[in-house]
């Protein structure tokens, strides 16, 4: 049995729905279909999920969201009409409009994108629509209750055989809707693949597999044929947002392969993600490059810092207190730095800095922002000598200043920090050197 997840662009219009149906009908093993909310139909179009978030913002400030709601409404009605579906989606839309007047929760509101898309898709495919709130269960701490979920999903499969499940949300034990992080439909697909022990988890999107670099930066990057779960996790964490990084762990220990495929080019073989690659045909040193902009580095200077037990812990506790995720901690002898996402620290930067000064008893704290982090990732890197040397040389030759460097202990990645303004150039020269 195969779990097939379709991303927003794959269900953006009635033409896209037809492609999805052709794909599903071409293999009867595709019994479980997960859908995102209808996405962009063309460049500059809006994703339904973004419109729903915007409606919520309007409601919060008591600004009329009527026009926005009408465009959401029109998109769904258009698909229903063009495909001559029996479902009367207008009724569900009316219900949503009524909920808006009752100030429904933001999670409920934004989950309606996948809910409404799922109802239409189920009708079109002739599959049973199963609401994610009835089968994807969270604990109150936000983690997935796999035991409960497994029971409910298996029940639904036994009853219906072929199902469509909206991605991105589920419910707490009391039944209230809870949404995952953005891009979370990938996680829904992965959870379903796990609890049903699927043969494969297909993730259908708008690119023919995972590319060695972001196609918005590198023109026609090479495609990756096979990649390990760990390599992909590194790449997606560092910004290669083809697949949500949290979609890996549910399938990893059961070794269920994930296939990244293109709805617009279904015959293309795509990228396979699995635990290990036995007969490794990859000749290159690296598997891929990714990166993210906008990090802040806080550097703490203190004489003899490296000999003082507990100094680093004290500093990290400050970040823990403010619930700020620490990305990297590069260190020197009399100093160490803490790298965090600028967005996460923005609001509390001055509080954090003054507390750090207190606990470290140092007046010398330097804050630099506008840092980008780039990762070069590859399972074959450990086997090659001189990769970091080559990396320094390449960046140096192009006058790109390296602000930080870190390597994971399993040697599948090297991370470098550069100025935001050098970001695209650094990705380009590294791609040219290593890919
Ligand atoms: P979906 O809506 O199907 O979930 P996403 O937009 O979440 O699709 O993910 C696919 C997009 O990821 C591609 O359109 C591409 O722009 C982007 N992307 C970023 N890095 C990469 C990469 N290394 N390989 C392929 N696509 C990438
Ligand atoms: N629709 C949600 C989002 O835009 C979830 C998803 O597409 O995976 O983030
Ligand atoms: Mg996605």
């Amino acid at each position: 049995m195969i779990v097939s997840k379709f991303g927003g662009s794959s269900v953006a219009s009635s033409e896209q729905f037809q492609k999805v149906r052709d794909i599903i009908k071409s293999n009867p093993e595709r019994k479980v279909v997960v859908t995102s909310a209808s996405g962009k139909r063309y460049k500059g179009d809006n994703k339904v999920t973004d419109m729903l978030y915007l409606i919520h913002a309007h409601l919060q400030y008591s600004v009329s969201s009527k026009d926005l709601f009408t465009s959401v409404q029109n998109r769904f009605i258009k698909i229903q009409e063009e495909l001559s579906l029996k479902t009367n989606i207008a009724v569900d839309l009316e219900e949503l409009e009524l909920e808006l007047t009752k100030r429904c929760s933001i999670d409920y509101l934004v989950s309606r994108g996948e809910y409404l898309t799922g109802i239409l898709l189920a009708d079109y495919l002739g599959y049973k629509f199963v609401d994610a709130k009835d089968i994807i269960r969270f604990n109150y701490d936000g983690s997935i209750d796999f035991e409960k979920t497994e029971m409910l999903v298996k029940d639904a499969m036994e009853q219906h055989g072929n199902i469509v499940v909206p991605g991105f949300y589920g419910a707490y034990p009391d039944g209230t809707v809870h949404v995952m992080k953005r891009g979370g439909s990938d996680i829904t697909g992965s959870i379903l693949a796990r609890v049903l022990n699927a043969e494969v988890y297909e993730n259908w999107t708008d690119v023919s597999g995972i590319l060695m670099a972001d196609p918005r930066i590198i023109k026609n990057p090479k495609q990756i044929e096979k990649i390990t779960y760990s390599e992909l996790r590194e790449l997606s964490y560092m910004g290669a947002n083809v697949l949500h990084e949290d979609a890996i762990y549910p399938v990893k220990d059961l070794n269920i392969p994930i296939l990244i495929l293109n709805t617009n080019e279904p015959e293309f073989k795509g990228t396979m993600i699995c635990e290990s690659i036995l007969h490794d045909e990859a000749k290159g040193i690296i598997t891929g490059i990714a990166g993210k902009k906008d990090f802040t580095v806080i550097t703490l200077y203190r004489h003899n810092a490296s000999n003082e037990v507990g100094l680093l812990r004290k500093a990290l506790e400050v970040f823990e207190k403010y619930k700020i995720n620490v990305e990297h901690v590069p260190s020197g002898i009399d100093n160490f730095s803490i790298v965090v996402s600028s967005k996460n620290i923005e609001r509390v930067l001055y509080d954090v800095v003054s507390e750090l000064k207190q606990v470290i008893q140092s007046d010398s704290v330097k804050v630099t922002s506008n840092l980008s982090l780039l990762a070069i990732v590859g399972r074959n890197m450990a086997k090659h000598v001189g990769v970091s040397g080559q990396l320094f040389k390449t960046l140096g030759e192009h006058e790109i200043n390296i602000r930080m460097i870190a390597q994971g202990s399993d040697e599948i990645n090297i991370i470098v920090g550069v100025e935001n303004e050098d970001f695209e150039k650094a990705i380009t020269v590294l791609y040219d050197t290593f890919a």
Side-chain angles (χ1 to χ4, degrees), residues 225-280:
E225 246 176 76
K226 287 181 186 162
I227 181 169
T228 65
Y229 294 127
S230 338
E231 285 175 307
L232 186 75
R233 222 183 115 74
E234 297 288 345
L235 282 177
S236 50
Y237 184 73
M238 285 301 288
N241 296 324
V242 200
L243 182 78
H244 197 291
E245 76 249 21
D246 292 348
I248 311 247
Y249 77 91
V251 293
K252 186 172 154 65
D253 56 332
L254 295 184
N255 208 357
I256 299 168
I258 307 174
L259 267 179
I260 307 289
L261 296 157
N262 189 346
T263 302
N264 306 314
E265 238 185 333
E267 46 314 309
F268 206 86
K269 78 174 185 273
T271 299
M272 182 187 273
I273 310 160
C274 48
E275 178 62 33
S276 57
I277 295 162
L278 284 180
H279 305 290
D280 203 343

Side-chain angles (χ1 to χ4, degrees), residues 135-384:
I135 57 169
I136 302 287
R137 287 305 179 118
F138 292 97
N139 298 305
Y140 281 115
D141 66 4
S143 62
I144 297 288
D145 180 345
F146 276 104
E147 228 170 279
K148 193 81 194 275
T149 300
E150 177 168 343
M151 201 185 72
L152 295 166
V153 171
K154 284 185 169 161
D155 270 1
M157 279 303 279
E158 249 163 58
Q159 261 191 58
H160 310 295
N162 296 311
I163 61 175
V164 170
V165 182
F168 188 44
Y169 71 95
Y172 284 126
D174 67 359
T176 44
V177 166
H178 173 58
V179 297
M180 302 170 184
K181 295 179 210 159
R182 294 299 306 265
S185 300
D186 289 336
I187 310 171
T188 307
S190 178
I191 294 167
L192 291 175
R194 180 194 173 88
V195 299
L196 293 168
N197 199 4
E199 226 172 279
V200 42
Y201 168 30
E202 293 179 342
N203 192 287
W204 293 86
T205 180
D206 61 354
V207 273
S208 293
I210 300 164
L211 306 165
M212 281 188 80
D214 191 329
R216 289 161 295 191
I217 300 174
I218 304 290
K219 223 182 185 177
N220 292 325
K222 292 182 199 158
Q223 191 225 332
I224 303 171
E225 246 176 76
K226 287 181 186 162
I227 181 169
T228 65
Y229 294 127
S230 338
E231 285 175 307
L232 186 75
R233 222 183 115 74
E234 297 288 345
L235 282 177
S236 50
Y237 184 73
M238 285 301 288
N241 296 324
V242 200
L243 182 78
H244 197 291
E245 76 249 21
D246 292 348
I248 311 247
Y249 77 91
V251 293
K252 186 172 154 65
D253 56 332
L254 295 184
N255 208 357
I256 299 168
I258 307 174
L259 267 179
I260 307 289
L261 296 157
N262 189 346
T263 302
N264 306 314
E265 238 185 333
E267 46 314 309
F268 206 86
K269 78 174 185 273
T271 299
M272 182 187 273
I273 310 160
C274 48
E275 178 62 33
S276 57
I277 295 162
L278 284 180
H279 305 290
D280 203 343
E281 302 107 46
K283 289 171 207 71
I285 303 174
I286 69 153
T287 306
I289 304 174
K292 286 200 278 202
K293 282 186 171 174
D294 298 325
F295 289 88
T296 294
V297 191
I298 300 170
T299 305
L300 300 129
Y301 299 86
R302 168 74 189 277
H303 180 62
N304 224 2
S306 51
N307 283 329
E308 199 169 319
V309 178
L311 204 58
L312 187 57
R313 177 184 49 79
K314 286 184 203 157
L316 290 176
E317 273 172 359
V318 174
F319 289 86
E320 190 178 348
K321 179 177 156 195
Y322 286 94
K323 295 196 169 60
I324 293 163
N325 192 28
V326 170
E327 302 282 335
H328 292 284
V329 189
S331 63
I333 297 171
D334 288 333
N335 64 65
F336 55 91
S337 302
I338 293 173
V339 182
V340 295
S341 134
S342 303
K343 195 176 88 217
N344 292 348
I345 199 154
E346 227 165 43
R347 266 185 322 112
V348 290
L349 182 63
Y350 296 107
D351 298 330
V352 169
V353 169
S354 77
E355 261 184 62
L356 283 171
K357 281 183 178 169
Q358 262 175 26
V359 300
I360 305 293
Q361 293 175 351
S362 155
D363 277 338
S364 192
V365 176
K366 195 173 130 206
V367 178
T368 28
S369 46
N370 301 327
L371 182 84
S372 290
L373 295 181
L374 311 181
I376 62 169
V377 176
R379 58 188 176 275
N380 292 332
M381 261 173 7
K383 294 185 219 151
H384 287 81

Side-chain angles (χ1 to χ4, degrees), residues 4 14 22 32-33 45 68 72 82 95 97 119 125-126 149 153 191 205 226 234 237 264 340 364 373 376 418:
S4 311
S14 56
D22 291 344
V32 179
V33 176
D45 192 19
L68 267 169
V72 170
E82 286 177 358
E95 191 182 314
E97 201 169 12
I119 289 180
L125 298 177
T149 300
V153 171
I191 294 167
T205 180
K226 287 181 186 162
E234 297 288 345
Y237 184 73
N264 306 314
V340 295
S364 192
L373 295 181
I376 62 169
V418 302

Side-chain angles (χ1 to χ4, degrees), residues 380-421:
N380 292 332
M381 261 173 7
K383 294 185 219 151
H384 287 81
V385 193
V387 180
S388 32
Q390 182 66 49
L391 182 122
F392 284 131
K393 186 165 166 265
T394 306
L395 295 176
E397 276 170 3
H398 291 89
E399 287 165 11
I400 296 168
N401 188 18
I402 301 179
R403 302 269 308 276
M404 184 208 107
I405 179 148
Q407 181 168 32
S409 46
D410 50 5
E411 289 187 61
I412 69 161
N413 64 343
I414 299 177
I415 292 172
V416 286
V418 302
E419 301 280 345
N420 271 348
E421 58 180 44

